[in-house]
Amino acid sequence: MGAASLYGAGPSAAAPAQPEKPLGLGTPATPEEIAGWDIDVRPDGMGLPPGKGTATQGEAIFLEQCAACHGDFAEGRDRWPVLAGGHGSLKADRPEKTIGSYWESASTVFDYVRRAMPFGNAQSLSNDELYAVTAFLLNMNDVIKDPEFELNQGNFTSIRMPNADGFYDDDRETTERKFWNAEACMKNCKTEVVVTGQAAILDVTPDSKSAPSVD
Amino acid sequence: MSEDNEPQKNTRSRRQFLKSAGLTGALVAAGAKSAWPQASSAEAKPENLPPHVADWSKHLGTGVADRPYGKPSKFEAHVVRRDVEWLTASQQSSVNFTPWHELDGIITPSGLCFERHHGGAPDVSPADHRLMVHGLVDKPLVFSMSDIMRMPRVNRVFFLECAANSGMEWRGPQLNGCQFTHGMIHNVMYTGVPLRTVLNEAGLKPKAKWLLVEGGDASGMNRSLPVEKALDDCLLAFKMNGEALRPEQGYPLRLVVPGWEGNIWVKWIRRIEVGDKPWLAREETSKYTDLLADGRARRFTFVMDAKSVITNPSPQAPLRFKGQNVLTGIAWSGRGAITRVDVTLDGGRNWREARIDGPVFERSVTRFYVDFDWQGEELMIQSRCHDSTGYLQPTKNELRAVRGVNSIYHNNGIQTWLVRSNGETENVEIS
């Protein structure tokens, strides 16, 4: 077996002697300080601020603040993310993962737009604008059918996403169990070896439509 | 050749090596055709070689005040992070790659550690930085960097691997170079305080099960972190490789989550909210979930499984000499320590155990070598690693059999390089 010796792989990878009592460092966070930074929204509605908006109102905001990258109908421009469409494509050879086809919870739309969008001008939308833009995106994905439906703090958690049941927790330790304690062949493991794929033959500088996406 | 740009001592040993190896001047025509810039290989200048005396042996070099913060030799200017423009729509939400084919040992130089930002790299003043801890705690608190620096600290070496490392290779070989196929990883020594120390100051309530960890950048990067992991081995780090974090690595404070996918190592960390359920943030719903062939997706696939790659030879580092050669590479596992690395030169027909050298830490990059003789035959080289949990690095086809080709993340399949008789090396897949 390997000549590896485990320097520094002690019983606990991180901990020095843990103080029994707090060190008394840090200052109390005031309710005002917390309110200024606490922007997250959870699927059960925790964190939703007061506010309301319709898809029709959201469309006007979207055209002004979002459509330059994401398209007038949230269909995406150039390499910018596609936000609507792709329904039923998750088993396809080239799935299109959008809010409507893939996302598990509507709260994620609100949370993410609130903290990170518009790209380059984050945390600039008012709460009403956030409800309206969220309603518009859900309307473009046929999750909210009526563009005049008012999305608000009270009814937000009634929204159910099409792919809400599409996820399950990491199961590698069972479904990939065979990768543990697999026998490693060392001698005469195969007879013929053929090259089945070559980066140089592929030799693609992939284009904007077929290239993998990192966003 | 480039080795002549190194100090004289090396030039001499190079010559001695060639002589002692009895080589027939067996420099191969390494006309590696690659889309990527290659190492400079300027011709040696005869006036610098024996019996002549080079200028640098006659005139003074630079003084000690010349470079208060040193940089690599100008002859190493090609050793840089590189990006792939078509991967992303913007430079601010993008990635670049660590040049592993030019590195050795296990520590990544700070300036070469790959970057992954979602809202660019902000320049945060440490005087203005604050970390807020609130939610299901006894006492919500705000910490300044001065507070953090007064807590008992530790030093640990860990790899940070992007969940998408090798993600462009799921459908087949695409990018020619381990920098691009395997360069979304770095390995440094962190100095920081255990996350549990900070949580202990605020006092977790009994219902606390998950933390929302959030960055201070314009993407407000947020992830849900299980409390057990937070209390186990996570760190709030303020130094890497002995000095302050680089701005692009989260200066002044980042989260370190040993063995887990890079995305959750939140940089510029500004807030921790303690809750009883996960948040399903964008980065754990839309992104960093793994779509399988049946149309369903795994979520919370936190751990990075055992993986390895041969960094030399590789497409950016072709073989250039016949005779004695050094094959080297790196292996790592998010589940524990690397216990063994096997290498094949003949496409998996036969394997030999590689020599591991240097420290072996848990959840850290480990360096391996095979010293071998090459007479110009075509090689198909692979490495496969074993970790301390008994996990054996799978082939790409074994992974695809379970996952299909659309899971994007967590591709730890065995990499093949084809070394041609002229030393040119290519990213391939084999049967």
Short mmCIF file of all heavy atoms in Angstrom, two decimals, chain B residues 8-23:
data_model
loop_
_atom_site.label_atom_id
_atom_site.label_comp_id
_atom_site.label_asym_id
_atom_site.label_seq_id
_atom_site.Cartn_x
_atom_site.Cartn_y
_atom_site.Cartn_z
N GLN B 8 22.46 28.86 -13.05
CA GLN B 8 23.53 28.08 -13.68
C GLN B 8 23.63 26.66 -13.18
O GLN B 8 23.90 25.74 -13.92
CB GLN B 8 24.87 28.77 -13.41
CG GLN B 8 25.12 29.94 -14.33
CD GLN B 8 26.43 30.57 -14.00
OE1 GLN B 8 26.64 31.04 -12.89
NE2 GLN B 8 27.34 30.59 -14.95
N LYS B 9 23.42 26.50 -11.89
CA LYS B 9 23.56 25.18 -11.29
C LYS B 9 22.68 24.16 -12.02
O LYS B 9 23.11 23.06 -12.33
CB LYS B 9 23.17 25.27 -9.81
CG LYS B 9 23.51 24.03 -9.00
CD LYS B 9 23.37 24.33 -7.53
CE LYS B 9 21.93 24.41 -7.15
NZ LYS B 9 21.32 23.39 -6.41
N ASN B 10 21.47 24.59 -12.32
CA ASN B 10 20.55 23.68 -12.99
C ASN B 10 20.99 23.40 -14.41
O ASN B 10 20.80 22.30 -14.91
CB ASN B 10 19.14 24.27 -12.99
CG ASN B 10 18.56 24.25 -11.59
OD1 ASN B 10 19.17 23.70 -10.68
ND2 ASN B 10 17.40 24.86 -11.44
N THR B 11 21.54 24.41 -15.04
CA THR B 11 22.01 24.21 -16.40
C THR B 11 23.09 23.14 -16.42
O THR B 11 23.11 22.26 -17.26
CB THR B 11 22.58 25.53 -16.97
OG1 THR B 11 21.56 26.50 -16.85
CG2 THR B 11 22.95 25.36 -18.42
N ARG B 12 23.96 23.22 -15.44
CA ARG B 12 25.04 22.24 -15.38
C ARG B 12 24.48 20.84 -15.12
O ARG B 12 24.87 19.89 -15.78
CB ARG B 12 26.02 22.61 -14.27
CG ARG B 12 26.95 23.75 -14.67
CD ARG B 12 28.10 23.85 -13.72
NE ARG B 12 28.85 22.62 -13.64
CZ ARG B 12 29.87 22.44 -12.81
NH1 ARG B 12 30.22 23.39 -11.98
NH2 ARG B 12 30.51 21.29 -12.80
N SER B 13 23.59 20.75 -14.18
CA SER B 13 23.09 19.42 -13.88
C SER B 13 22.30 18.86 -15.06
O SER B 13 22.27 17.67 -15.30
CB SER B 13 22.24 19.43 -12.61
OG SER B 13 21.20 20.36 -12.72
N ARG B 14 21.69 19.76 -15.79
CA ARG B 14 21.00 19.34 -17.00
C ARG B 14 21.99 18.66 -17.96
O ARG B 14 21.75 17.59 -18.50
CB ARG B 14 20.38 20.57 -17.65
CG ARG B 14 19.76 20.37 -19.01
CD ARG B 14 18.38 19.77 -18.93
NE ARG B 14 18.31 18.59 -19.73
CZ ARG B 14 17.39 17.64 -19.58
NH1 ARG B 14 16.47 17.76 -18.65
NH2 ARG B 14 17.37 16.60 -20.36
N ARG B 15 23.13 19.32 -18.12
CA ARG B 15 24.14 18.76 -19.02
C ARG B 15 24.68 17.44 -18.49
O ARG B 15 24.83 16.48 -19.23
CB ARG B 15 25.28 19.76 -19.21
CG ARG B 15 24.87 20.97 -20.04
CD ARG B 15 25.93 22.05 -19.97
NE ARG B 15 27.23 21.59 -20.47
CZ ARG B 15 27.55 21.54 -21.74
NH1 ARG B 15 26.70 21.92 -22.65
NH2 ARG B 15 28.74 21.11 -22.11
N GLN B 16 24.91 17.42 -17.16
CA GLN B 16 25.42 16.18 -16.57
C GLN B 16 24.41 15.06 -16.75
O GLN B 16 24.76 13.93 -17.05
CB GLN B 16 25.72 16.39 -15.08
CG GLN B 16 27.00 17.20 -14.86
CD GLN B 16 27.07 17.79 -13.49
OE1 GLN B 16 26.09 17.75 -12.75
NE2 GLN B 16 28.22 18.35 -13.15
N PHE B 17 23.16 15.42 -16.59
CA PHE B 17 22.11 14.42 -16.72
C PHE B 17 22.10 13.83 -18.13
O PHE B 17 22.03 12.63 -18.34
CB PHE B 17 20.76 15.03 -16.37
CG PHE B 17 19.61 14.29 -16.94
CD1 PHE B 17 19.31 13.00 -16.53
CD2 PHE B 17 18.82 14.88 -17.91
CE1 PHE B 17 18.24 12.31 -17.08
CE2 PHE B 17 17.76 14.19 -18.46
CZ PHE B 17 17.47 12.90 -18.04
N LEU B 18 22.17 14.72 -19.09
CA LEU B 18 22.14 14.26 -20.48
C LEU B 18 23.29 13.31 -20.75
O LEU B 18 23.14 12.29 -21.41
CB LEU B 18 22.20 15.46 -21.43
CG LEU B 18 20.91 16.26 -21.54
CD1 LEU B 18 21.16 17.55 -22.31
CD2 LEU B 18 19.83 15.44 -22.23
N LYS B 19 24.45 13.67 -20.17
CA LYS B 19 25.63 12.87 -20.41
C LYS B 19 25.49 11.50 -19.74
O LYS B 19 25.67 10.45 -20.35
CB LYS B 19 26.86 13.60 -19.86
CG LYS B 19 28.18 13.02 -20.31
CD LYS B 19 29.30 13.92 -19.81
CE LYS B 19 30.65 13.28 -20.16
NZ LYS B 19 31.76 14.08 -19.59
N SER B 20 25.12 11.55 -18.46
CA SER B 20 25.06 10.31 -17.70
C SER B 20 23.95 9.40 -18.21
O SER B 20 24.05 8.19 -18.14
CB SER B 20 24.84 10.60 -16.21
OG SER B 20 23.60 11.23 -16.01
N ALA B 21 22.92 9.99 -18.73
CA ALA B 21 21.82 9.16 -19.22
C ALA B 21 22.18 8.53 -20.57
O ALA B 21 21.45 7.70 -21.08
CB ALA B 21 20.55 10.00 -19.37
N GLY B 22 23.31 8.97 -21.11
CA GLY B 22 23.76 8.39 -22.36
C GLY B 22 22.78 8.63 -23.50
O GLY B 22 22.63 7.80 -24.39
N LEU B 23 22.13 9.76 -23.44
CA LEU B 23 21.11 10.01 -24.45
C LEU B 23 21.75 10.39 -25.77
O LEU B 23 22.78 11.01 -25.83
CB LEU B 23 20.20 11.15 -23.99
CG LEU B 23 19.31 10.78 -22.81
CD1 LEU B 23 18.46 11.96 -22.43
CD2 LEU B 23 18.45 9.58 -23.14
#
